[in-house]
Amino acid sequence: MKSDKQAIGCYETNESPAGCEVLQLLRLSRFLLNEQAEGKGSKCKTCSCRCVASNRARSRSHLQKELEKVLQCLSFEVIMYLILLLFVMAVPGAHAFSGPTPSRSSTLGSHHHPRSVALESTIAGWMSVAGYDQGYGDNRENDRDERASLYALVMDELAHRRGLSVSGVRQVIRKTKPQDLAARWRGWRRSCDCLLSLGFSAQNVTSILQGSSAFLHELDPEADIRRVVFYLWEDLGFNSWGKIGLGLGSWQRHKYKVVTTAPEVLRRKPEGGVEETVATLEQVGMPTKYILDASFRFPSLLNVPPSLIFCVSAYLSSTDVGFRPRDLGALYRRNPWLLHPRTVEQLRPVVAFLREELQVQRMHVVLRGYPQVVLKSVNADLQPRVVLLQSLGIPSQQIGCMVEAFPLLLSLPLEEQMLPVLFFFQAELGFSRHELWTMLRSFPAVLDLSIEENIRPVVSFLRDDVGLPDVKEFIKRLPPVLGYPVDWELRKKWALFQELGLDASDFAGFPGFVSYSLHDRLIPRLDFCRRQGVLAQDVVALRVVMAGGDAAFAKEFIGVDPEAYEEFLLDYKVRRKEARAAQTRADRESARSTRSWSERKKGEKKWGRMKDEVSSMEEDDDSFLFSEAVCD
């Protein structure tokens, strides 16, 4: 027969305290199973307790307490199975323990091994010895039955009787403990009835239950739910949102969106509820219209505590960032997610880096143009981009000016966007580092352009269609030309330039011509000059025509009253609007005729298929009749 230490040899090797507890548990169980077992008292090396196997004079009740004490020190569901398995495998005669056979033994499989039956019997016996009235399997069966009946009751009350989503209610039941479910489901039922009576759909109520199952049972239907809902609809103006700019259908769909998406608004917090949050947002310069707009896009805005709003607003309006208090409302309207507990914590190192390393003076401009800079890491996101620009010879102060002019520079992908663009300018256009630095300083947004969609088509147009001898020089003088669309802007301006009798050399000498608006300056002024009999036959005259304001152009170059040119502009805009409307009608008629033609073609094909089917059926009928005649 194996000794106790051999039985648990895989558990402990040097008689650790945990091993002593297991050894004590095994010897105690052997004594309870067989009071005739022999054993000599031994003293553990690591503790001063006497092993209980050798003390036969102890009473059964004391042994029961010792067993319960040891059981409490171990994980009941896992360690008990492991220890009992080792015990059954190591101690002979353990399967002879007399005890109630639990019904759970049927779950071990269709082939009952003797050791499995002995293991279940030993569990039931130990539970009986420990003082439990029923067997282990019986308790599990009763608990399972009670839990199933509770689940069925909650499912019937919420899903079947009130029409909530079965899958949603099942998900809530699964993530709720049975004892919590028994205490909460009546409160859930009460709150769901209140929400349904207010006009919320069953789908909306299901979403609210899924997002607020931990506190929905605590809400009072009158003091919490109805109060908040009527405040949002009546006082805040959600019912009149259609008057502000949302259609009736959209208003009906979005009327319940805030409560459905952010059910936390129904819960009164220690610092106040939704009323205090709205009042605080109005104090920091956010009108009610902005609050409505932002809450539809970011419903959690109404859950922000007032103290957090004051904290973030105080930092943004400090000297480090430089926002004016009246500008905070517009910032929160576009970016309500800035009202987060970690905004100030994440923004401090970014502001310190931009101010100290890059000497950015207008930090509020950067944050307004790219508010996601709050989420950036200095070492992982900002520093590598600054190092790349410094490798081109750009000083840190100039990089700061580039960031102020184009804040999205801090968001461009390093390897996918910035490096390929810089390589294209150096390898294919022949830009030196100094020329590249000069161009980036004047137009940093060139790093955000696509090579295949923006830069390469413009370069090909200037080189092939216009015939410029030096495309690099033209781009150096006007870097924004790389972002102009070729088909519906550059080609039209080049055609207008050619109508004046000018060629590619003149075009290269006046790159600013393509920077003027086609319908606001180029065509109206050239048309007015033609009507007044004044022609711009060279680049110098063309520069004078395009430079300056409308009044200076009419008075100094043409020599007419500026009001005459204003009347001409109004007439030109009316004629252009009518021409665009006529073009739109023509496009619609063309699309309608094309659609009618395609439908007619489809009808002809369908009619042809029907004729073929009918003819084939007639042939089949004729052959059938012919066969009948032959048979007759």
Side-chain angles (χ1 to χ4, degrees):
M1 186 176 65
K2 295 183 181 180
S3 63
D4 295 328
K5 292 185 178 181
Q6 292 176 351
I8 59 171
C10 60
Y11 186 82
E12 57 91 27
T13 56
N14 297 323
E15 296 190 6
S16 61
C20 293
E21 292 181 0
V22 177
L23 181 63
Q24 186 179 6
L25 177 62
L26 291 176
R27 291 175 177 173
L28 175 60
S29 62
R30 174 177 294 181
F31 179 80
L32 294 175
L33 294 175
N34 187 5
E35 294 183 357
Q36 303 298 329
E38 297 181 357
K40 298 182 180 180
S42 61
K43 190 174 182 179
C44 298
K45 297 180 181 180
T46 58
C47 61
S48 59
C49 64
R50 288 287 180 177
C51 296
V52 297
S54 62
N55 191 356
R56 302 192 186 115
R58 294 190 178 185
S59 61
R60 188 178 182 84
S61 61
H62 183 67
L63 292 175
Q64 179 179 341
K65 294 180 181 179
E66 291 289 333
L67 177 59
E68 292 178 354
K69 180 180 178 181
V70 176
L71 290 177
Q72 291 175 359
C73 298
L74 303 175
S75 177
F76 185 81
E77 293 292 335
V78 180
I79 303 300
M80 180 64 74
Y81 266 88
L82 177 61
I83 301 305
L84 290 178
L85 182 60
L86 293 174
F87 172 73
V88 173
M89 294 176 63
V91 181
H95 60 277
F97 182 83
S98 59
T101 303
S103 59
R104 192 173 183 270
S105 61
S106 61
T107 62
L108 295 176
S110 58
H111 303 284
H112 301 289
H113 197 274
R115 292 189 181 273
S116 301
V117 178
L119 178 60
E120 294 294 327
S121 301
T122 305
I123 294 174
W126 278 31
M127 296 291 291
S128 176
V129 170
Y132 296 95
D133 296 335
Q134 297 180 352
Y136 174 72
D138 295 337
N139 286 337
R140 294 293 296 271
E141 288 292 341
N142 295 336
D143 294 342
R144 190 181 296 108
D145 294 341
E146 293 177 0
R147 193 181 304 115
S149 61
L150 178 61
Y151 289 174
L153 176 62
V154 176
M155 184 66 69
D156 179 69
E157 289 288 340
L158 298 181
H160 300 157
R161 296 189 180 185
R162 286 160 180 81
L164 273 64
S165 172
V166 176
S167 59
V169 176
R170 185 182 296 114
Q171 181 181 358
V172 173
I173 292 176
R174 286 177 178 175
K175 71 177 184 179
T176 307
K177 296 181 180 179
Q179 57 272 22
D180 296 337
L181 182 63
R184 295 177 182 177
W185 75 271
R186 293 180 179 83
W188 293 347
R189 180 181 60 182
R190 184 173 60 251
S191 300
C192 290
D193 289 340
C194 180
L195 291 170
L196 290 172
S197 65
L198 290 172
F200 286 83
S201 64
Q203 183 179 0
N204 293 339
V205 176
T206 304
S207 302
I208 294 173
L209 178 61
Q210 290 177 331
S212 61
S213 60
F215 64 87
L216 188 62
H217 63 285
E218 302 174 354
L219 301 180
D220 184 83
E222 297 294 335
D224 295 325
I225 298 179
R226 289 185 180 274
R227 176 185 59 82
V228 173
V229 170
F230 280 112
Y231 172 78
L232 295 177
W233 289 356
E234 304 297 338
D235 298 342
L236 193 56
F238 277 64
N239 275 343
S240 61
W241 180 250
K243 300 177 183 179
I244 299 177
L246 199 63
L248 180 60
S250 301
W251 165 66
Q252 291 291 346
R253 292 193 302 269
H254 290 77
K255 183 178 179 180
Y256 310 98
K257 180 179 179 180
V258 173
V259 179
T260 303
T261 310
E264 283 282 344
V265 298
L266 300 174
R267 190 178 186 182
R268 177 172 289 275
K269 293 168 282 294
E271 298 186 11
V274 63
E275 298 89 346
E276 289 75 8
T277 300
V278 172
T280 307
L281 290 174
E282 291 177 349
Q283 291 181 14
V284 298
M286 197 171 183
T288 304
K289 182 178 179 180
Y290 286 4
I291 296 175
L292 288 173
D293 184 21
S295 60
F296 275 120
R297 293 183 290 105
F298 192 76
S300 298
L301 174 66
L302 300 179
N303 293 328
V304 180
S307 60
L308 178 60
I309 299 175
F310 283 125
C311 179
V312 176
S313 301
Y315 181 73
L316 293 179
S317 59
S318 63
T319 56
D320 293 340
V321 182
F323 268 97
R324 295 177 298 182
R326 63 174 180 268
D327 296 335
L328 293 177
L331 178 67
Y332 293 153
R333 178 193 180 185
R334 294 190 300 268
N335 310 282
W337 53 268
L338 286 174
L339 295 173
H340 191 272
R342 299 189 59 185
T343 296
V344 178
E345 177 186 352
Q346 295 181 349
L347 189 57
R348 288 185 186 276
V350 174
V351 171
F353 173 78
L354 295 178
R355 281 192 171 275
E356 296 174 4
E357 297 292 334
L358 305 183
Q359 301 181 12
V360 175
Q361 301 298 328
R362 299 181 299 169
M363 188 63 203
H364 62 282
V365 175
V366 178
L367 189 59
R368 186 186 294 112
Y370 182 56
Q372 289 80 7
V373 71
V374 177
L375 309 176
K376 296 297 181 179
S377 172
V378 174
N379 296 328
D381 300 322
L382 304 183
Q383 189 69 37
R385 291 163 176 78
V386 173
V387 171
L388 175 62
L389 296 176
Q390 289 176 345
S391 64
L392 299 175
I394 306 177
S396 300
Q397 186 176 3
Q398 294 295 332
I399 298 176
C401 297
M402 294 168 56
V403 170
E404 291 182 6
F406 185 63
L408 291 177
L409 182 66
L410 302 175
S411 67
L412 300 180
L414 192 63
E415 298 181 356
E416 294 81 3
Q417 180 66 31
M418 298 181 68
L419 288 175
V421 171
L422 295 176
F423 179 78
F424 178 86
F425 280 108
Q426 291 181 336
E428 298 194 20
L429 296 180
F431 275 76
S432 63
R433 293 176 60 183
H434 181 73
E435 292 173 342
L436 196 58
W437 166 29
T438 305
M439 183 186 65
L440 293 178
R441 184 178 57 184
S442 60
F443 187 61
V446 71
L447 293 174
D448 193 26
L449 298 177
S450 173
I451 296 177
E452 300 299 331
E453 297 180 2
N454 302 114
I455 302 178
R456 196 182 297 276
V458 172
V459 172
S460 177
F461 169 77
L462 296 177
R463 181 178 294 163
D464 301 335
D465 297 356
V466 179
L468 293 180
D470 192 356
V471 177
K472 183 181 76 172
E473 189 66 26
F474 189 89
I475 295 176
K476 284 170 55 179
R477 297 181 61 182
L478 187 68
V481 71
L482 297 173
Y484 295 164
V486 174
D487 293 332
W488 57 275
E489 186 167 352
L490 290 181
R491 294 189 186 279
K492 294 180 179 179
K493 292 179 180 180
W494 169 241
L496 183 62
F497 195 84
Q498 287 179 316
E499 290 179 0
L500 300 176
L502 303 177
D503 55 5
S505 60
D506 298 326
F507 191 78
F510 186 29
F513 181 81
V514 297
S515 65
Y516 294 113
S517 175
L518 187 64
H519 295 285
D520 292 339
R521 177 162 296 196
L522 293 179
I523 295 179
R525 291 195 178 186
L526 293 176
D527 191 12
F528 188 74
C529 290
R530 188 179 298 107
R531 294 191 179 193
Q532 297 295 328
V534 180
L535 299 179
Q537 299 179 354
D538 54 3
V539 176
V540 177
L542 191 60
R543 290 177 185 271
V544 177
V545 170
M546 297 303 162
D550 294 339
F553 159 73
K555 185 177 181 179
E556 298 177 3
F557 186 79
I558 305 297
V560 297
D561 189 9
E563 295 181 357
Y565 183 65
E566 292 181 2
E567 294 177 358
F568 172 80
L569 283 179
L570 293 176
D571 181 65
Y572 172 79
K573 292 179 181 180
V574 171
R575 287 187 284 110
R576 181 168 178 264
K577 185 177 180 180
E578 292 177 353
R580 293 178 64 181
Q583 183 65 30
T584 302
R585 289 193 298 269
D587 294 341
R588 289 178 180 176
E589 290 294 335
S590 176
R592 188 180 296 109
S593 62
T594 304
R595 185 168 57 251
S596 301
W597 179 83
S598 61
E599 291 177 355
R600 186 168 59 254
K601 282 294 184 181
K602 290 181 181 179
E604 292 176 358
K605 291 181 179 179
K606 185 177 180 180
W607 175 248
R609 289 195 301 268
M610 292 176 62
K611 290 176 63 178
D612 295 340
E613 292 176 0
V614 170
S615 60
S616 62
M617 291 174 62
E618 291 177 351
E619 291 177 359
D620 294 340
D621 293 341
D622 294 342
S623 60
F624 179 72
L625 295 175
F626 177 75
S627 61
E628 284 187 345
V630 171
C631 293
D632 292 340

